[in-house]
Amino acid sequence: NHRWKVVYLAEQQGVEQNLDKNCTGSLYYPKQRFCLQYALKYIRTPFFILNSAYDVYQFHHILVPPSADLSGHWNHCRLNPAACNTNQTNILQGFRKDMLAALSLFFKYSKRGGMFINSCFAHCQSESQDTWLTSDSPRVHNKTIAEAVGDWYFGRRVTKEIDCAYPCDSTCHNLIG
Ligand SMILES: *[C@@H]1O[C@H](CO)[C@@H](O)[C@H](O)[C@H]1NC(C)=O
Ligand SMILES: *[C@@H]1O[C@H](CO)[C@@H](O)[C@H](O)[C@H]1NC(C)=O
Ligand SMILES: *[C@@H]1O[C@H](CO)[C@@H](O)[C@H](O)[C@H]1NC(C)=O
């Protein structure tokens, strides 16, 4: 999730003129310049995408901000995914599907890229040891985030892990629920 922020910060800090001209000249620019899926194909630096498919910050601030739910239909669901009704769960699953669709070309074709998209209600899983590399850290296909990033960083193998959909993952350290 830090990587996603880098694109945004680049804009904020006025380094736009250093961005790839093929990117800034594209059809989608500038409207979607913040969106990694459009910037991704112009980035030649090897890239690792680490995010949860149900990022709690995105869930609470982008997918269902309180200002978009004045009647509070989502109050229970926002605090506990198990309390979501069928429609809300479908919307959350759609959110995951859209994200995976946006990353599908990277997933299929990037030869030097890596990814780890788990299905946890989390945000920022890289800076604390308990979600990065311990015996009970979140895993996808029995691989921790540190192992997946290590595979990519040290060029050991192409590692692009995508978790099964919520609620299948029992290794999550969820922030809600
Ligand atoms: C931009 O695109 C052109 C045409 O596809 C390509 O030849 C050129 O190398 C690209 N430039 C950069 C900086 O990627
Ligand atoms: C779910 O969505 C359908 C179609 O929009 C609607 O008819 C139904 O009332 C909704 N159910 C709940 C529990 O919100
Ligand atoms: C998962 O990985 C751990 C080491 O990280 C290993 O001890 C364990 O046997 C693995 N489990 C499976 C089911 O492969």
Side-chain angles (χ1 to χ4, degrees):
N1 27 25
H2 290 100
R3 306 283 168 163
W4 293 72
K5 285 174 199 159
V6 166
V7 173
Y8 180 73
L9 288 175
E11 168 67 14
Q12 298 278 297
Q13 296 175 1
V15 298
E16 201 170 347
Q17 67 273 17
N18 298 323
L19 295 177
D20 187 318
K21 296 291 178 289
N22 284 355
C23 175
T24 54
S26 93
L27 179 64
Y28 298 112
Y29 193 87
K31 197 168 160 230
Q32 293 171 320
R33 64 192 148 194
F34 296 158
C35 297
L36 180 59
Q37 68 265 40
Y38 303 110
L40 206 49
K41 66 177 172 180
Y42 303 105
I43 298 173
R44 277 154 309 154
T45 309
F47 211 80
F48 191 96
I49 300 175
L50 166 63
N51 217 92
S52 163
Y54 310 93
D55 184 293
V56 171
Y57 182 89
Q58 295 176 4
F59 176 21
H60 286 179
H61 295 89
I62 298 165
L63 185 66
V64 196
S67 58
D69 179 39
L70 295 177
S71 53
H73 289 309
W74 284 76
N75 285 355
H76 295 298
C77 176
R78 280 164 56 87
L79 298 176
N80 179 9
C84 301
N85 67 31
T86 308
N87 287 354
Q88 290 164 338
T89 302
N90 288 343
I91 289 166
L92 282 169
Q93 300 298 18
F95 187 62
R96 169 178 178 272
K97 274 193 198 132
D98 285 352
M99 178 175 175
L100 295 180
L103 296 175
S104 64
L105 292 178
F106 180 85
F107 177 73
K108 262 191 219 150
Y109 297 116
S110 169
K111 292 192 173 69
R112 290 183 301 160
M115 71 197 274
F116 188 100
I117 307 291
N118 61 1
S119 291
C120 302
F121 284 84
H123 181 69
C124 294
Q125 302 181 96
S126 59
E127 59 267 87
S128 116
Q129 191 66 26
D130 70 308
T131 50
W132 174 254
L133 178 65
T134 60
S135 55
D136 83 329
S137 289
R139 285 168 191 259
V140 176
H141 302 131
N142 204 29
K143 199 166 266 201
T144 59
I145 293 169
E147 288 165 333
V149 173
D151 286 347
W152 165 78
Y153 188 85
F154 295 108
R156 289 194 290 248
R157 59 185 71 82
V158 175
T159 293
K160 295 184 191 141
E161 297 290 359
I162 296 179
D163 209 352
C164 46
Y166 169 83
C168 71
D169 189 335
S170 58
T171 68
C172 289
H173 294 199
N174 292 311
L175 297 176
I176 53 173

